[in-house]
Amino acid sequence: MYLIMLQLRDLPTPEVLEKFAERYPDADVTAIASFLHLLRVATDLSLALDACLSKHDLLQGRWWILILLMREEQLCSTPSLLAEKVGVTRATMTGLIDSLEQSGLVQRVFDKADRRRVMIKLTEAGQAKLDVVMPDYYRRLRQCMQGLNESSRAQLQNILGLIHLGVPALI
């Protein structure tokens, strides 16, 4: 899963945004600037996460599957539920599972009563992979967020929650 949200490196200046606002009266300059900055940071975070994970021969799609499986008490889930939780199609999930299975990180477990039913299970190798990746990820995440104290982090979460409430307006 490789998603570039915003490739624009040259974000518009306030003057440029004011020029657009003159032409388009509904343009809220500070809202636009904040929105574009948020997209830029989100893209950079996603790319940085992929760079971190690639050091461990993973990208986000495969990594999220391993994480989701580790969260389950029995370390397993259905492909359709994993696809829903990761936000990909079932076909994409099949490809991700195939590659994880080839790497020995997950295995398909077929229902003895109905071979059409399959569960995806985290293997010992998959858990071992996470045991190497997660400390590196957490260390890098701590460094990334070190400029924010606990209060600022709580504020950020509240602000992001408010922005999330407005997402339907874009649809």
Side-chain angles (χ1 to χ4, degrees):
M1 180 180 353
Y2 190 69
L3 177 65
I4 300 294
M5 293 176 275
L6 180 68
Q7 294 181 354
L8 183 63
R9 289 262 173 227
D10 182 21
L11 295 179
T13 64
E15 294 78 26
V16 168
L17 291 175
E18 286 294 343
K19 183 179 169 183
F20 275 69
E22 288 173 16
R23 183 171 186 108
Y24 305 106
D26 283 343
D28 178 336
V29 172
T30 58
I32 295 166
S34 298
F35 178 78
L36 292 175
H37 195 158
L38 179 61
L39 281 178
R40 174 77 264 146
V41 171
T43 297
D44 289 345
L45 285 171
S46 185
L47 292 172
L49 179 56
D50 274 338
C52 168
L53 294 173
S54 71
K55 294 174 185 348
H56 302 283
D57 297 320
L58 290 172
L59 289 176
Q60 289 181 57
R62 296 175 71 206
W63 179 64
W64 286 121
I65 294 166
L66 297 177
I67 295 280
L68 288 170
L69 290 172
M70 189 174 117
R71 288 179 10 187
E72 295 296 325
E73 191 168 325
Q74 299 299 316
L75 304 176
C76 60
S77 184
T78 64
S80 60
L81 190 55
L82 288 169
E84 181 182 323
K85 288 180 178 182
V86 174
V88 299
T89 66
R90 289 181 183 194
T92 298
M93 181 54 63
T94 297
L96 290 168
I97 291 168
D98 287 346
S99 83
L100 286 167
E101 189 174 42
Q102 289 169 1
S103 299
L105 303 177
V106 302
Q107 68 181 31
R108 285 178 167 92
V109 179
F110 292 94
D111 187 317
K112 291 180 172 109
D114 182 356
R115 294 223 7 112
R116 293 173 297 180
R117 283 200 44 182
V118 65
M119 297 292 285
I120 307 304
K121 183 168 180 55
L122 183 68
T123 63
E124 286 184 26
Q127 183 62 65
K129 173 69 90 173
L130 284 172
D131 290 344
V132 170
V133 173
M134 296 311 289
D136 183 40
Y137 164 71
Y138 287 137
R139 180 181 54 79
R140 292 169 188 269
L141 184 60
R142 186 176 58 252
Q143 290 171 348
C144 176
M145 300 298 286
Q146 71 185 355
L148 299 175
N149 62 27
E150 290 297 320
S151 174
S152 296
R153 291 173 187 178
Q155 280 183 302
L156 176 61
Q157 289 183 39
N158 287 334
I159 290 168
L160 292 172
L162 292 171
I163 293 168
H164 191 257
L165 290 174
V167 169
L170 288 172
I171 300 172

